[in-house]
Amino acid sequence: ASCLPGWNLHNNKCYYYSPKGKTDTWENSRADCLARGGDLAMPKTQDELVFVSKGNSYSWIGLSDKLQEGVWQWVDGTDLEDLGFWKEGEPNDQGSEDCVEVSRSQVKWNDAPCRNKFPWTCEAFGPGGSN
Ligand code: 2F8
Ligand code: CA
């Protein structure tokens, strides 16, 4: 059992890293993940976060407070628990920042403007069909 070509298996989930040099807005990144049969990655453990972070220097993940300022929600509709993954001083909504990116060097989250362009990481069910 394995993931589709271009995806990487980790702890029974499949992950896709956007190609080197390619960047897009959070919404377009999410649309790409959905079109591939997944969604933006939702790293909920340190182990998952490390794997999600390592595809590119910075990556959009499936977390935003677009719906209601200050209420962070995963793209699966669930609320964010306190995981302690924010970078020091984040989230700070500097200007207006409703989407979350993770840096490979720090493996921590920052809220950034959704219209900014970054690489992204998708996730999908693993070979077992669910997780
Ligand atoms: O110092 C943290 C701060 O760094 C940048 O702003 C200067 C980030 N801006 C963008 O990514 C556009 C902030 O989100 C971040 O909080
Ligand atoms: Ca920020």
Side-chain angles (χ1 to χ4, degrees):
S2 61
C3 298
L4 290 171
W7 292 68
N8 306 284
L9 181 61
H10 181 73
N11 286 351
N12 208 39
K13 278 187 205 168
C14 297
Y15 294 94
Y16 172 87
Y17 304 124
S18 59
K20 304 297 164 204
K22 195 165 177 178
T23 61
D24 216 325
T25 63
W26 187 89
E27 283 291 356
N28 287 346
S29 298
R30 184 170 187 214
D32 177 75
C33 293
L34 291 170
R36 293 174 188 283
D39 207 335
L40 280 172
M42 293 174 275
K44 298 181 182 181
T45 65
Q46 177 68 22
D47 175 76
E48 287 176 352
L49 184 58
V50 168
F51 199 79
V52 163
S53 302
K54 68 184 200 177
N56 289 285
S57 302
Y58 298 90
S59 307
W60 284 128
I61 61 169
L63 184 64
S64 83
D65 72 342
K66 292 162 69 82
L67 233 55
Q68 196 187 331
E69 180 56 35
V71 179
W72 295 95
Q73 244 182 21
W74 297 105
V75 286
D76 67 5
T78 59
D79 288 337
L80 173 65
E81 327 81 271
D82 185 7
L83 298 175
F85 293 159
W86 292 109
K87 213 172 281 186
E88 174 104 31
E90 308 297 345
N92 60 2
D93 199 40
Q94 191 166 110
S96 179
E97 304 186 312
D98 293 348
C99 292
V100 178
E101 48 95 357
V102 61
S103 79
R104 181 170 55 199
S105 59
Q106 298 186 67
V107 195
K108 291 281 186 186
W109 298 344
N110 173 47
D111 60 339
C114 300
R115 65 174 56 190
N116 279 24
K117 294 187 172 184
F118 285 113
W120 63 95
T121 303
C122 309
E123 75 169 54
F125 287 133
S130 76
N131 296 292

